[in-house]
Amino acid sequence: MVRSSRGAANPGMWRREADTAVRRVAPLPERAPAASAITAGFRIPPVPTEWSPHAHALHELVWVRGGTLTSRVEDRLFTVSEGYGLWMPAGTVHGGRATAGAEFHDAFFAPDRTPFAFREPTTIAMTPLLTSLLAHLSGPDLDAAARARAEAVVFDVLRPADRQFALHLPGDARIDAIAEALLEDPADDRSLEEWARRLGISDRTVTRAFRRATGLSFAQWRQMLRAHRALALLAEGMDVMSVSETLGYAQPSSFIAAFRRVMGTTPGAFFGAADDIPGNVPNSVSRVQTS
């Protein structure tokens, strides 16, 4: 099914862009082809595209070039920009949205032939070596021996990113309206006190609910939400001043400082680091303790 949505809200996700195509995911094989552990491919959506919630019997790794991917998994929202990917364990129900014109890449891993397991969705460092290997594996003419060699190197270099880009949504009926309003308009600058009055609850209730549900104060959570939205806007080519205005900051320096508090670096340095991820990395996947 494909339908167009003009700016419609979608609970737990950013506001849809006009003319977003909403698609059901075609069924995938229950197992990878007998000759391979990894099946890779890519496509370029001509319009912003959203995939309805679904799950796969295989592990999935998705990444984009020239745009961003947003994925919703239960109470978490993941933002994937260039240089990073998202590993989705087999059986995990998730929805996703890619920006128009972005190269959307995915690779499916047979669980019984993958020598490691991430039990939770995990941000992956998409190094030049890893992306080149997966592009190589997407070719239709590889013989079994060449495919096995390439897959072995993929398993050796695939590792989690240093930062995990997950925004925890409250999932608390008392404050969900706040989260939905900020996802719809990250520039909404209503204070905690104003929200409490609107919802007919106390300031203390809002404060405790945010802390309990997300581990963050209301102000910290809003700042993190804005940083996630900034990742998408910057990756799509918007300049820092425009992003600052879109997210409700009085001046670019305030936005840059807030971004640094959340991401540990400035926007320019963050995207520069994504371009400079080294291709030769040690194998750390099998030794990582996943949650």
Side-chain angles (χ1 to χ4, degrees):
M1 177 195 76
V2 180
R3 62 185 175 86
S4 178
S5 171
R6 291 185 175 273
N10 185 30
M13 291 279 279
W14 308 114
R15 184 194 323 176
R16 285 182 185 144
E17 295 180 57
D19 298 321
T20 294
V22 183
R23 302 179 183 272
R24 294 186 189 276
V25 175
L28 294 170
E30 291 295 308
R31 297 176 60 85
S36 65
I38 303 171
T39 304
F42 84 97
R43 52 197 176 278
I44 303 177
V47 296
T49 300
E50 181 175 315
W51 291 271
S52 301
H54 60 281
H56 307 293
L58 307 175
H59 301 312
E60 182 183 22
L61 175 63
V62 294
W63 67 103
V64 291
R65 301 188 68 179
T68 55
L69 171 71
T70 301
S71 186
R72 171 76 189 271
V73 184
E74 295 181 339
D75 64 347
R76 286 164 293 175
L77 194 64
F78 293 85
T79 302
V80 182
S81 56
E82 192 156 343
Y84 300 90
L86 181 62
W87 178 277
M88 204 68 68
T92 301
V93 177
H94 60 285
R97 189 184 295 163
T99 50
E103 287 186 14
F104 177 85
H105 297 256
D106 54 11
F108 293 93
F109 293 68
D112 60 343
R113 279 173 273 170
T114 300
F116 53 83
F118 300 114
R119 298 182 183 88
E120 296 288 337
T122 302
T123 302
I124 301 298
M126 297 304 300
T127 65
L129 175 57
L130 178 58
T131 54
S132 295
L133 285 165
L134 291 170
H136 179 59
L137 285 168
S138 69
D141 301 324
L142 282 182
D143 61 43
R147 179 170 293 278
R149 289 193 298 271
E151 288 177 345
V153 182
V154 168
F155 294 143
D156 205 39
V157 302
L158 193 153
R159 64 178 179 87
D162 292 336
R163 285 185 172 273
Q164 297 295 307
F165 307 119
L167 175 70
H168 285 261
L169 302 171
D172 185 321
R174 295 172 298 176
I175 57 173
D176 281 344
I178 304 175
E180 295 299 338
L182 288 169
L183 285 166
E184 178 74 7
D185 178 16
D188 189 326
D189 63 355
R190 278 174 284 187
S191 67
L192 184 151
E193 293 76 17
E194 288 173 309
W195 274 113
R197 285 196 299 272
R198 177 174 177 178
L199 298 174
I201 56 181
S202 69
D203 303 0
R204 181 172 296 181
T205 296
V206 175
T207 298
R208 288 178 174 174
F210 262 100
R211 182 70 69 179
R212 185 179 300 111
T214 70
L216 301 172
S217 70
F218 166 71
Q220 290 170 329
W221 187 85
R222 180 167 59 184
Q223 191 171 84
M224 180 169 284
L225 176 143
R226 287 175 171 177
H228 271 256
R229 188 63 182 139
L231 286 176
L233 297 174
L234 291 164
E236 291 159 24
M238 189 177 286
D239 62 80
V240 168
M241 180 173 289
S242 298
V243 172
S244 172
E245 292 173 354
T246 299
L247 297 180
Y249 289 97
Q251 50 191 354
S253 60
S254 299
F255 160 62
I256 292 170
F259 188 95
R260 185 198 291 271
R261 280 193 292 272
V262 174
M263 304 303 298
T265 188
T266 65
F270 176 88
F271 285 97
D275 292 336
D276 296 336
I277 293 174
N280 297 311
V281 296
N283 174 19
S284 60
V285 173
S286 59
R287 297 189 293 274
V288 171
Q289 180 67 39
T290 57
S291 57

